[in-house]
């Protein structure tokens, strides 16, 4: 707690992670103390809050690698103007580490999809919002900056002679609430043709109603532009497009 003169009135031991402070420092201006922050001076923040009377929040770092949310809140005691500032530092280092770990996992997943030539997608059945992973854009030969993932883009990715059956397969899955597993061709904008296998699975909400449809697109094209010889679906089974339901 700081008064209107920015003098320390009370502090908790945890403040020692930010300031080099002792019990005898109560009553001293906070500007007289040395802090451990990098590129940020809490005195400036406190002065700003005393002038504006508004809450201020900033993320700050310490010399030892810590991450904190600095929150400076004005308080009033019987008057229209701030009587002082409550200065709080919330440790968010663990949150930042979790975010860094999640980012690394996402990068590993993206690299794995590239190596396996498998893309993933997710359709929210309530909002109709469709998500494509980067590998799907690569398989379809599309630029994510110029193409939004939607149903029509998906259908138009198939050659004209295949589109009616692709539509029918997708609609039948939605109407019947059944998973699909089928093979179809993709006509890329550059004129090349890929052969892909599509599989889907419904996710149910708490009431047992399908709420999300998730799936994968596996590029099973061989070096000659046809179905990959090593793929589990053989050439004899390829009737474009073909679908099965469970």
């Amino acid at each position: 707690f700081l008064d209107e003169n920015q003098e320390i009135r009370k502090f908790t031991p945890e403040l020692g992670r930010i300031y080099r402070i002792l019990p005898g420092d109560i009553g001293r201006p906070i500007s007289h103390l040395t802090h451990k922050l990098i590129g940020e001076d809490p005195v400036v923040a406190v002065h700003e809050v005393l002038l504006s009377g508004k809450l201020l929040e900033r993320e700050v770092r310490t010399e030892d690698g810590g991450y904190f949310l600095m929150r400076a809140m004005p308080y009033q005691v019987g008057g229209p103007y701030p009587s002082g500032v409550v200065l709080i530092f919330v440790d968010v280092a663990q949150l930042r580490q979790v975010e860094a770990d999640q980012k690394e996992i996402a990068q590993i997943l993206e690299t794995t999809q590239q190596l396996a030539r498998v893309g993933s997608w997710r359709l929210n059945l309530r909002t109709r919002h469709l998500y494509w992973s980067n590998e799907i854009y690569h398989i379809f030969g599309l630029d994510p900056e110029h193409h939004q993932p939607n149903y029509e883009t998906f259908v138009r990715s198939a050659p004209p002679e295949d589109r009616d059956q692709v539509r029918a397969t997708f609609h039948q899955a939605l109407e019947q609430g059944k998973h699909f597993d089928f093979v179809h061709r993709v006509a890329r904008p550059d004129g090349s043709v890929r052969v892909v296998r599509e599989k889907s699975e419904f996710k149910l909400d708490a009431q047992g109603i399908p709420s999300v449809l998730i799936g994968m697109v596996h590029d099973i094209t061989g070096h000659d532009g046809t179905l990959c010889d090593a793929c589990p679906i053989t050439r004899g089974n390829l009737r474009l497009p073909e679908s099965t339901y469970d």
Side-chain angles (χ1 to χ4, degrees):
F1 283 82
L2 305 173
D3 62 20
E4 67 273 15
N5 298 317
Q6 301 185 30
E7 294 178 350
I8 302 169
R9 293 305 172 196
K10 185 178 180 181
F11 70 90
T12 63
E14 283 297 308
L15 189 62
R17 300 178 65 186
I18 307 296
Y19 274 94
R20 296 171 176 87
I21 189 170
L22 299 172
D25 290 322
I26 290 180
R28 294 181 62 190
I30 193 172
S31 59
H32 289 186
L33 303 184
T34 303
H35 62 75
K36 307 174 186 177
L37 301 182
I38 299 175
E40 186 71 50
D41 188 352
V43 173
V44 176
V46 169
H47 181 67
E48 184 178 335
V49 170
L50 286 173
L51 290 177
S52 67
K54 296 180 180 179
L55 170 70
L56 182 149
E57 289 185 339
R58 290 177 186 159
E59 189 168 304
V60 296
R61 292 185 60 191
T62 58
E63 298 167 348
D64 57 2
Y67 285 86
F68 292 85
L69 176 65
M70 180 179 69
R71 180 178 293 133
M73 301 182 298
Y75 67 89
Q76 294 173 297
V77 181
Y81 303 107
S83 302
V85 174
V86 179
L87 192 59
I88 301 174
F89 293 89
V90 181
D91 189 345
V92 294
Q94 186 174 4
L95 175 61
R96 292 294 166 264
Q97 184 59 52
V98 170
E99 291 176 347
D101 291 344
Q102 289 176 338
K103 184 177 180 180
E104 182 178 3
I105 291 172
Q107 291 174 340
I108 293 173
L109 176 60
E110 183 169 347
T111 300
T112 302
Q113 289 196 354
Q114 291 174 354
L115 295 174
R117 299 195 304 180
V118 174
S120 57
W121 53 267
R122 180 182 187 276
L123 174 64
N124 186 309
L125 298 177
R126 296 190 176 95
T127 66
R128 295 298 176 179
H129 178 265
L130 177 63
Y131 161 81
W132 282 356
S133 69
N134 287 334
E135 185 60 16
I136 287 187
Y137 286 100
H138 176 73
I139 293 172
F140 287 4
L142 302 176
D143 185 346
E145 293 187 2
H146 298 95
H147 293 86
Q148 293 293 324
N150 56 55
Y151 173 70
E152 284 306 318
T153 300
F154 161 67
V155 172
R156 287 197 302 269
S157 70
E161 61 271 24
D162 295 343
R163 291 175 185 172
D164 287 344
Q165 187 59 41
V166 169
R167 285 193 184 94
T169 299
F170 192 76
H171 286 166
Q172 187 175 356
L174 292 180
E175 292 171 359
Q176 298 181 4
K178 295 183 178 180
H179 308 160
F180 61 70
D181 182 352
F182 74 109
V183 176
H184 69 91
R185 294 180 294 180
V186 170
R188 285 174 160 180
D190 63 4
S192 62
V193 177
R194 312 300 292 179
V195 180
V196 302
R197 182 181 184 182
E198 298 250 9
K199 295 186 68 174
S200 73
E201 181 175 317
F202 283 95
K203 295 298 182 182
L204 308 181
D205 62 16
Q207 287 72 44
I209 300 173
S211 59
V212 174
L213 183 63
I214 62 174
M216 69 90 179
V217 179
H218 185 193
D219 185 351
I220 55 176
T221 313
H223 294 297
D224 59 354
T226 58
L227 190 64
C228 174
D229 290 319
C231 295
I233 300 180
T234 65
R235 292 178 184 273
N237 290 335
L238 178 60
R239 295 188 300 275
L240 296 172
E242 176 184 23
S243 62
T244 58
Y245 297 86
D246 53 18

